[in-house]
Amino acid sequence: DQQVKQNSPSLSVQEGRISILNCDYTNSMFDYFLWYKKYPAEGPTFLISISSIKDKNEDGRFTVFLNKSAKHLSLHIVPSQPGDSAVYFCAAREGGSEKLVFGKGTKLTVNP
Amino acid sequence: KAGVTQTPRYLIKTRGQQVTLSCSPISGHRSVSWYQQTPGQGLQFLFEYFSETQRNKGNFPGRFSGRQFSNSRSEMNVSTLELGDSALYLCASSFQGASSPLHFGNGTRLTVT
């Protein structure tokens, strides 16, 4: 039973355009959501997070949107750069727990 | 500030052996978690420690165990290794709090032959 789903295994975009990565969840007890970027042979790097009391959080080129009624969140990267090419993981946490539940990841390729 | 440090980076063991992996969290972080990453299952939660106490455990057999020391450093042990234990083992630390993200180390790549 996958509680966090990233339905697109891969995404390819042109440099300078917007990248939109999507994530769906089923557990309504999740109250904190995070996005991580991962390069091969390295650990995941924290990108941005959002609490369930918000619907948007922005940090530079990265914006995360949360739609609680649809149990859906998305990560927007604008403008996309070749260095953004990596696997992106969506993760969620239940209130009071440090345990993260991860999606399977989306491999983003930004073409020059 | 130094990040999460995991040692060793690579490890090769044979079936039936046991292994101990080490993790030093970011200074000031008291919560340490361990995850297993495999191509088929993705990132799976193993356990979490806070102030030397295990607070949460994932769905892994008892061969997987861990501990945390008074300086917040943590170790993870896998006994009676199986081929399926080959994976990237990731340690993460956090400051602890409702909106405190986990910060990961670069992992230990364990290969069981």
Side-chain angles (χ1 to χ4, degrees), chain A residues 36 38 41 43 93 97-98 100, chain B residues 9 35 37 94 98 100 102:
Chain A
Y36 285 86
K38 189 178 185 302
R93 187 163 74 190
S97 170
E98 293 294 301
L100 288 182
Chain B
R9 282 301 308 273
Y35 288 79
Q37 185 183 23
S94 68
S100 175
L102 267 64

Side-chain angles (χ1 to χ4, degrees), chain B residues 59-109:
Chain B
N59 295 325
F60 281 82
R63 300 185 297 106
F64 292 81
S65 63
R67 58 177 175 167
Q68 186 181 32
F69 302 95
S70 58
N71 61 359
S72 294
R73 196 176 67 82
S74 177
E75 286 181 348
M76 185 192 121
N77 186 275
V78 188
S79 63
T80 320
L81 284 166
E82 300 176 0
L83 294 178
D85 298 332
S86 295
L88 180 67
Y89 290 88
L90 292 159
C91 172
S93 72
S94 68
F95 181 72
Q96 171 73 9
S99 297
S100 175
L102 267 64
H103 296 275
F104 285 84
N106 282 330
T108 294
R109 169 71 62 185

Side-chain angles (χ1 to χ4, degrees), chain A residues 45-91:
Chain A
T45 300
F46 170 70
L47 272 176
I48 191 169
S49 62
I50 187 166
S51 165
S52 60
I53 62 173
K54 295 185 174 180
D55 54 18
K56 177 183 173 181
N57 189 26
E58 200 169 346
D59 183 2
R61 297 185 297 114
F62 302 92
T63 303
V64 56
F65 295 91
L66 175 62
N67 182 332
K68 281 191 298 182
S69 60
K71 293 192 175 69
H72 176 85
L73 63 156
S74 61
L75 174 68
H76 292 209
I77 306 173
V78 183
S80 301
Q81 300 173 353
D84 296 329
S85 297
V87 177
Y88 288 76
F89 290 94
C90 167

Side-chain angles (χ1 to χ4, degrees), chain B residues 37-51:
Chain B
Q37 185 183 23
T38 58
Q41 297 299 317
L43 279 145
Q44 304 266 298
F45 173 78
L46 280 156
F47 27 67
E48 186 246 341
Y49 288 87
F50 181 82
S51 291

